[in-house]
Every structure is written in C-alpha cells, then in structure tokens.
Amino acid sequence: MSRSAHPAGPRHADVLPEGHYSAPPADLNALDPKVWARTVRRDEDGVLTVGGRTVTELAEEYGTPAYILDEADFRDRARAWRTAFGTDADVFYAGKAFLSRAVVRWLDEEGLNLDVCSGGELATALSAGMDPARIAFHGNNKSVEEITRAVEAGVGRIVLDSFQEIARVAHIAQGLGKRQKAQIRITVGVEAHTHEFIATAHEDQKFGIPLAGGQAAEAVRRALTLDGLELIGIHSHIGSQIFDMSGFEVAAHRVVGLLKDIRDEHGVELPEIDLGGGLGIAYTSSDDPREPHEIAKALTEIVTRECEAARLRVPRISVEPGRAIVGPTAFTLYEVGTVKPLDGLRTYVSVDGGMSDNIRTALYDAEYSVALVSRSSDAEPMLTRVVGKHCESGDIVVKDAFLPADLAPGDLIAVPATGAYCRSMASNYNHVLRPPVVAVGDGEARVIVRRETEEDLLRLDVG
Ligand code: LLP
C-alpha cells in the first residue's frame, strides 16, 4: 500500500459545475474542530492523529475503510449531556445512532440510560450488562417476541406507538404477572426543518398517535384502564438533525397541554415527559450546533414555564440524543484508489468503501467534509466528488469537496462526523464487507466492532 504522492494528471476545471460548495477553503490542511473529533490534530509531518495515534499506523494495523472513534470525545459528550440535564432529568442515548457493547459500557459508566428500538439493540444492551431498568424500548412495530423479552427483562419503559400496541403490551405484561411502565408516543403536528425522511412529528407518517382529533387523549384513556400498564408519561420526538429550538418549544407546549387535559379528566398528573432526540451536529463548517447545556436550559425552561401556566407539577424530563453524542466522535478512514479527472467537470476520487458504509449522502442528500490525512499538501485545491466502489452512480460519499490537486492513489482521506447512522446503517451491498469500528484514546487503539469477513458473508449463505 503506497502512501507516496503520484501526480495523477491535470484535473483543473476552468468552469466549476453547479453544487453545494462555495469557494475552496483558504487552507486545505486545516481541520475545523467543529466537524472533527476532539483529539484530532496534525502531527509535525502533517499526518492526522487521533487519541494519540496516527492514521497511517491505524490504516496499517486495521486496514481501510475503518470507522475511527475517539473514545474520550464520546465519553466527554455523553457526560456533558448528563451534567447539563442534572439529576432531575434522564438522558437516554439513542442506540440506533451506533451501538456496540463497548458503547453500552461507556454509557453505563457515564450515567446515561439507553433507548433501544429492536430486539437486536435490546440484546446488545443486555449482553453488555446494562441495567434493564435504564432501558427504554421504542418502535412502531415491536413484535410479540420483542415485547415479551423486554417485559421479562424488566425494561424501565416501553414507549407505546399505537392503539394496538397499548392493548398488546398490556396483555403480554398481564400474562407475565407484571405491570409494565410505559409512555405513549404522540405526534404533536410540528414540521421540523429537516429532511422529510427524518422528520417525525407531522401527522402523515408512521410514528406515534396524533394529538389531533383527540386520538392521544383516547389512547391515554385506554392505557389508564389496563392492569398490565403503568402509564408514566408522554413521549414526543420531532425529527433529526434539527438546529432550531422552536420545534421543541411547540412540542413541549402541546405535550404539557395534554398532561393538563389528563389531569383535568382523570385527576392524574403523569410524572414524566420525554422530548426525544434530534439535535443537529456539524457535518460541514457551515453548521452551528448548540451545546448540551444550552439545549438543557432551553428545554427545561420551556417545560417549567408551560407547567407553571397550566398549574402542573413539573414532570421529570428525559431526552434521547443519539447523533449529538456519537456523530462527531468518529471519522471514516479510506484509502484513495482511482483518481479520475473529467475535463471541464471535476475529479472523481474513488475510495475503498462507499454507500455500504455511508448511505446518508445517497439517502438524504447529506453533506460531508473530507480531508487528505496521511500527509499535508501545498497543492492547489481541486474540485472533487468522493465516490465509493459500488456498482451504482449514486454511490457518493461526499458530493462536492475540495482536495489537494496532487491527491493520488494510496493517499488516505477521512470523512469526519460519521459516528452516527453510518456503521449502524451499513450494508453488504455488492458483498462489500462492513468496516470495523476502532476506538482510540491515550495512544491505544482497539477494535470494538471487527471488520466483516468473507467467512461471515458465506456463513449466512446456506443454499
Ligand atoms: N428518539 C427517537 C424516538 C428516535 O426515533 C430517534 C431517531 C432518536 C431519539 C435519536 O435521534 P438523533 O438524536 O440521533 O437525531 N438515519 C437518519 C436518522 C434517523 C433517526 C431516527 N430516529 C440519519 O442518518 O440522519
């Protein structure tokens, strides 16, 4: 594997094609701390280091592509959320963003709870020794087996997503001689300003029970009559990659409105509300995310104000950040393969992974940043598109990116902010093997999810 720079021919466009990019950055070697994990630096040779390890060593040792995760950064962010919300609130890390047994142990040690949304996530959490009482079980179509396993394990709450599920969970719990703590997920009718596929509080979609038309109130009525359920609160999740707090404000207002109606109708003050996850992170330098303490302050103030106005006791608040904790802590390390200049257009830079390790660009038109990391370069910027090795032209990792014009096969490049929804949404398309997750910190690296092998693939093929 050569890391030397072989000039790959002329590749400058006189006219730049349309795209999301603005001007090339002033310094292609600069690493914007907003998008990179916190311990990332360049050493004196220009090689990127993280957790005290160089990416060239990591590539030699673990191969590419690989997700490289900064453990200290993960723990810091988890702790910052925990501290920001204090002891009167709970932080449930959303395991769908990225889950492994090591992650479960870090969360446990940092005092966070966990949101799971499938039998597989539940099994991962339990096998890592998470206290079931600190687990919330989500999903719009939990199977009878999954519900049974969750109730038997003693999960702290099941978030009920439909009228059928209210009856189903109550029935299963009663059959097991238990009273299951539960929240009801409602849709509050907020349009979150995010991609349609990741917005979840408008009414015309599959999650939750609409507040509109009294449906949520009816769901509460039913849940309160069932012996197998202990209704502890109301849940709302408005979407993902959100920067604007106004959606949360409207959601909190409406959830508290429902709590008030419940108090007025049933004489019961539900003790909890969950405002979900969805806080945005910086994928590029133009994103400006908020800090956990600002978010905690804003949410707590909104709920307190609304409860005071409704003369309700302030319920215990919980939140479910996934992306905001793990997203910025990892980058994907790729080796550059083919570099193909297209005259008058741009240069296509092919890497040894692609849409199988990061589907977000193809699925949501997500924007990412990228940098040459195995060396620095003083070459001029060239407009590129970083693409994968899959048999599909939509296999794009970074749509519009400037990289140095001397980029060559064998160079390492890295895409930051890939900790969330990349490994967890990875596929085997084209029988490409899913990359490992390597955790680094204090000069040590260890694999927490190993690279898939051809034996893994063939083991499932029993025909
Ligand atoms: N709570 C619930 C009920 C959720 O459905 C989700 C995300 C979260 C919390 C965590 O949201 P976060 O803080 O991570 O944004 N695959 C998409 C995101 C799908 C999110 C699904 N639910 C993406 O890559 O952007």
Side-chain angles (χ1 to χ4, degrees):
M1 196 163 52
S2 153
R3 306 236 180 284
S4 58
H6 306 290
R11 54 183 92 95
H12 266 283
D14 294 334
V15 183
L16 296 178
E18 280 184 25
H20 296 284
Y21 56 88
S22 45
D27 178 5
L28 282 180
N29 299 311
L31 300 166
D32 183 347
K34 266 206 288 192
V35 299
W36 291 92
R38 285 189 184 143
T39 70
V40 164
R41 316 261 179 279
R42 274 191 201 273
D43 69 11
E44 57 282 6
D45 300 324
V47 180
L48 186 140
T49 69
V50 56
R53 297 293 306 267
T54 64
V55 288
T56 39
E57 285 165 356
L58 293 170
E60 284 302 334
E61 216 166 311
Y62 303 104
T64 54
Y67 303 102
I68 310 293
L69 191 153
D70 181 342
E71 179 178 340
D73 192 11
F74 184 100
R75 285 179 180 272
D76 280 356
R77 287 175 198 270
R79 204 176 309 128
W81 276 85
R82 184 78 210 89
T83 313
F85 278 88
T87 49
D88 294 335
D90 297 300
V91 180
F92 286 74
Y93 168 78
K96 65 207 83 187
F98 170 63
L99 196 63
S100 77
R101 287 198 275 212
V103 163
V104 175
R105 287 192 290 267
W106 299 339
L107 294 168
D108 199 9
E109 286 162 17
E110 301 301 340
L112 276 75
N113 296 353
L114 179 65
D115 140 16
V116 300
C117 68
S118 71
E121 289 183 359
L122 178 61
T124 305
L126 294 176
S127 80
M130 185 83 173
D131 175 4
R134 287 168 55 193
I135 299 177
F137 190 30
H138 267 281
N140 66 303
N141 190 24
K142 309 171 190 76
S143 70
V144 168
E145 292 73 24
E146 286 173 322
I147 295 168
T148 307
R149 190 145 36 115
V151 176
E152 276 174 346
V155 300
R157 66 165 82 139
I158 295 185
V159 183
L160 303 166
D161 199 83
S162 64
F163 282 94
Q164 288 177 349
E165 199 173 81
I166 291 172
R168 201 175 285 145
V169 172
H171 180 73
I172 292 170
Q174 207 174 0
L176 292 168
K178 295 203 175 198
R179 194 146 184 258
Q180 176 62 50
K181 287 197 168 127
Q183 294 188 339
I184 293 178
R185 176 165 173 177
I186 66 167
T187 43
V188 293
V190 172
E191 295 286 345
H193 299 288
T194 188
H195 192 282
E196 184 198 353
F197 292 175
I198 51 177
T200 55
H202 55 297
E203 275 137 17
D204 191 1
Q205 45 86 25
K206 69 174 185 166
F207 292 109
I209 299 177
L211 190 59
Q215 295 177 74
E218 177 56 21
V220 170
R221 226 166 269 140
R222 289 199 201 170
L224 286 174
T225 64
L226 295 168
D227 290 338
L229 293 181
E230 179 187 347
L231 186 63
I232 56 169
I234 300 296
H235 184 286
S236 154
H237 170 76
I238 60 172
S240 264
Q241 187 57 5
I242 300 166
F243 293 107
D244 178 357
M245 296 300 286
S246 61
F248 289 98
E249 188 147 352
V250 178
H253 171 74
R254 296 190 182 160
V255 169
V256 172
L258 178 62
L259 291 185
K260 178 175 177 296
D261 293 347
I262 295 168
R263 192 261 328 266
D264 293 347
E265 181 178 342
H266 305 280
V268 175
E269 290 197 27
L270 296 183
E272 294 182 8
I273 68 173
D274 190 308
L275 294 172
L279 284 314
I281 62 163
Y283 285 101
T284 70
S285 297
S286 53
D287 294 325
D288 282 309
R290 285 166 181 248
E291 292 297 324
H293 67 266
E294 293 175 80
I295 295 161
K297 184 164 180 284
L299 293 182
T300 313
E301 276 174 10
I302 298 164
V303 173
T304 307
R305 193 180 62 225
E306 294 292 331
C307 286
E308 275 166 8
R311 300 223 175 90
L312 280 168
R313 252 196 326 268
V314 180
R316 190 172 178 86
I317 300 172
S318 51
V319 286
E320 297 171 337
R323 185 190 326 257
I325 292 177
V326 69
T329 69
F331 58 82
T332 315
L333 186 60
Y334 298 106
E335 184 178 313
V336 172
T338 303
V339 177
K340 189 186 286 184
L342 295 185
D343 282 346
L345 291 170
R346 68 173 78 231
T347 296
Y348 277 77
V349 173
S350 293
V351 293
D352 46 359
M355 66 194 300
S356 55
D357 59 68
N358 187 350
I359 190 66
R360 299 193 68 260
T361 308
L363 195 55
Y364 313 121
D365 218 6
E367 286 180 39
Y368 281 93
S369 324
V370 61
L372 169 62
V373 291
S374 47
R375 60 187 173 91
S376 53
S377 166
D378 295 328
E380 290 170 66
M382 68 170 168
L383 179 64
T384 68
R385 178 158 291 167
V386 178
V387 295
K389 58 182 288 166
H390 295 277
C391 295
E392 168 147 355
S393 54
D395 172 24
I396 297 169
V397 181
V398 189
K399 205 165 170 194
D400 299 295
F402 286 96
L403 282 164
D406 62 352
L407 191 78
D411 278 332
L412 296 176
I413 62 175
V415 175
T418 58
Y421 304 110
C422 287
R423 180 61 181 80
S424 67
M425 294 175 79
S427 77
N428 284 123
Y429 183 39
N430 297 138
H431 284 202
V432 167
L433 305 168
R434 285 179 294 177
V437 182
V438 180
V440 288
D442 294 331
E444 305 280 326
R446 75 190 162 105
V447 174
I448 59 169
V449 178
R450 72 160 167 78
R451 184 182 300 285
E452 212 159 22
T453 62
E454 285 177 5
E455 292 79 71
D456 291 330
L457 268 189
L458 294 173
R459 199 170 299 137
L460 298 180
D461 187 335
V462 294

